[in-house]
Amino acid sequence: MSERDDRAAFLAANDVSRETLDRLDRVIDTLDVWRQKSNLIGPKEWPQIWTRHVGDSWQLLDHIPETAHLVDLGSGAGFPGLIIAAARSLGHVTMIESVGKKCAFLRAAIQEADLSAAVHQGRVEAAPPIKAEFVTARAFAPLPELLDYAAPWLRKGAVGVFPKGERWNEELTAARQRWNFAYEAIPSRSGGSGVILIIREVARRND
Ligand SMILES: C[S@@+](CC[C@H](N)C(=O)[O-])C[C@H]1O[C@@H](n2cnc3c(N)ncnc32)[C@H](O)[C@@H]1O
């Protein structure tokens, strides 16, 4: 399947407004240019960029209000941060990423697609205070460590929206050793036995 066919498959499965599609196209076009000069995304991944990476990010939107302020940890090539910013023009997304070349791409995509978003270059654990009611992170860290990274926001009442793979239940059990929290596990539409974990009311055990 070509990237064009993959885009058509994504659009057949998801309701995307004309304005949002225009922003998504600009983000993916920018990624196409930048991936030629850096290893943001592998050539084997490219033919499924829409159904796999955009689609995986898109399903988080069910849990993120229109005007949300959100922080995305370890944004890499912009999944899910850039996709959420493209779909939530009334909100604001801050992406935290430690690798300079990836940050340069993220900034270029924000500019090309005119997104309400910003990039903080640096390690999540050393980030300055950033206002956010929602935290996302995809393929960033196992849940126990992810809760440590996201604690500055979650402990102040932010909601975590985390796509997780088939071992999510083991990660949840391990996270329970260190943290108290409420959660919902919503089956992923990306196939397999992965879920979207919605995490609330986070407090360190013995707090
Ligand atoms: C496996 S990639 C996932 C990227 C993207 N979220 C995705 O799903 O395609 C993890 C990203 O996190 C970044 N990263 C790893 N540890 C980090 C840290 N402590 N602070 C900020 N970024 C970090 C890496 O540079 C990399 O871009």
Side-chain angles (χ1 to χ4, degrees), residues 53 72-80 96-99 102 122-125 137-140 149:
H53 297 276
D72 182 45
L73 312 181
S75 302
F79 303 106
I96 305 180
E97 168 57 53
S98 57
V99 175
K102 295 180 181 180
R123 298 190 67 79
V124 171
E125 55 273 39
R138 175 177 180 256
F140 177 60
Y149 282 118

Side-chain angles (χ1 to χ4, degrees), residues 129-146:
I130 293 167
K131 182 188 164 200
E133 304 109 29
F134 288 83
V135 186
T136 53
R138 175 177 180 256
F140 177 60
L143 192 63
E145 291 76 23
L146 179 52

Side-chain angles (χ1 to χ4, degrees), residues 176-198:
R176 286 256 184 237
Q177 311 290 315
R178 302 220 285 263
W179 297 96
N180 289 323
F181 53 87
Y183 78 94
E184 283 173 79
I186 293 150
S188 170
R189 298 201 292 265
S190 300
S193 45
V195 297
I196 311 299
L197 278 183
I198 315 289

